[in-house]
């Protein structure tokens, strides 16, 4: 099991709990180059695609995580299929969004950003940056190899740190549940202090 599978499983559980549904539906970014299209490795351009993920909260934690792993592996053959085409297969009207939240799991090398120094100057000055998305809730997971970082972007009045807290609790619950016969439906997402309130 890869860490990406675990984070997708956790996010599916958080989305399900926040939606009060027995399933989680969200979008996930796929690289778009993994299936080895002819010349893809030599081509410039953005190959990233967004695909819908639906996780069903049933079975043991081990069974749930295995089902998420199978789902992600099965989606690889669709990584270059446009989301608009998948949306038309769903039967959901085009005016209605297929999902409203996105998980962006990315492998990020520590120190991968080039820093300009005296030997390497492009003549540009970065004055600020802003990440923009069309989704009201986006969770970014940075996999640094030995550690992870998470950031959440949200529209509206909900504090993004709530989602990060939910993810932390759910990740701990899933990892603990792997060593027992815990049913995934019993995994909560509130810290013990929040449960007591």
């Amino acid at each position: 099991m890869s860490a990406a599978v675990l984070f997708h499983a956790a996010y599916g559980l958080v989305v399900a709990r926040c939606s009060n549904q027995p399933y989680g539906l969200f979008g996930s970014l796929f690289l778009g180059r993994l299936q080895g299209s002819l010349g893809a490795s030599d081509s410039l351009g953005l190959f990233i695609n967004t695909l819908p993920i639906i996780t069903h909260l049933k079975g043991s934690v081990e069974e749930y995580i295995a089902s998420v792993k199978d789902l992600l592996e099965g989606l690889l053959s669709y990584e270059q299929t446009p989301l608009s085409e998948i949306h038309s297969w769903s039967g959901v009207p085009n005016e209605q969004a297929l999902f409203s939240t996105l998980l962006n799991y990315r492998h990020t090398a520590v120190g991968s950003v080039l820093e300009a120094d005296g030997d390497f100057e492009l003549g540009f000055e970065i004055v600020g940056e802003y990440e923009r998305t069309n989704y009201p809730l986006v969770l970014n997971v940075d996999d640094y190899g030995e550690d992870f970082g998470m950031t959440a972007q949200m529209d509206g009045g909900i504090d993004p740190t709530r989602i990060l807290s939910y993810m932390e609790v759910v990740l701990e619950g899933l990892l603990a549940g792997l060593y027992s016969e815990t049913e995934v439906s019993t995994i909560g997402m509130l810290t013990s202090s929040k449960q007591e309130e």
Side-chain angles (χ1 to χ4, degrees), residues 1 3-14 17 57 59-66 68 166-180 182-188:
M1 171 189 68
V5 171
L6 184 62
F7 276 93
H8 278 80
Y11 197 57
L13 200 147
V14 168
R17 293 280 190 261
L57 304 186
S60 69
V61 168
E62 185 176 352
E63 291 167 337
Y64 172 67
I65 291 175
V68 173
Y166 295 161
M167 281 294 292
E168 183 178 352
V169 171
V170 168
L171 285 164
E172 289 172 358
L174 289 176
L175 288 171
L178 281 173
Y179 298 102
S180 63
T182 304
E183 292 291 308
V184 71
S185 60
T186 65
I187 302 287

Side-chain angles (χ1 to χ4, degrees), residues 48-118:
I48 294 173
N49 193 15
T50 305
L51 296 177
I53 306 282
I54 187 165
T55 60
H56 298 278
L57 304 186
K58 56 185 179 184
S60 69
V61 168
E62 185 176 352
E63 291 167 337
Y64 172 67
I65 291 175
S67 71
V68 173
K69 179 181 182 289
D70 292 344
L71 172 67
L72 291 172
E73 287 174 354
L75 284 174
L76 285 177
S77 61
Y78 295 97
E79 71 179 347
Q80 294 181 353
T81 305
L83 180 59
S84 59
E85 189 173 335
I86 294 171
H87 196 150
S88 69
W89 299 341
S90 71
V92 175
N94 285 338
E95 303 79 40
Q96 185 179 345
L98 195 54
F99 47 83
S100 60
T101 182
L102 190 69
L103 174 67
N104 183 9
Y105 186 93
R106 51 197 181 192
H107 296 275
T108 308
V110 177
S112 62
V113 178
L114 290 176
E115 294 184 21
D117 59 18

Side-chain angles (χ1 to χ4, degrees), residues 25 35 78 84 105 116 137 141 151 158 179:
L25 174 60
Q35 293 304 308
Y78 295 97
S84 59
Y105 186 93
L137 169 57
V141 177
T151 55
I158 300 175
Y179 298 102

Side-chain angles (χ1 to χ4, degrees), residues 111-183:
S112 62
V113 178
L114 290 176
E115 294 184 21
D117 59 18
D119 297 333
F120 187 76
E121 183 62 52
L122 295 176
F124 295 103
E125 179 184 350
I126 297 175
V127 293
E129 63 179 290
Y130 175 73
E131 237 179 277
R132 187 187 174 288
T133 179
N134 293 329
Y135 297 97
L137 169 57
V138 176
L139 177 69
N140 295 309
V141 177
D142 290 299
D143 182 342
Y144 297 114
E146 293 183 14
D147 203 0
F148 301 93
M150 290 188 294
T151 55
Q153 285 181 290
M154 297 187 76
D155 283 349
I158 300 175
D159 183 3
T161 57
R162 284 178 116 178
I163 298 299
L164 298 176
S165 172
Y166 295 161
M167 281 294 292
E168 183 178 352
V169 171
V170 168
L171 285 164
E172 289 172 358
L174 289 176
L175 288 171
L178 281 173
Y179 298 102
S180 63
E181 290 299 315
T182 304
E183 292 291 308

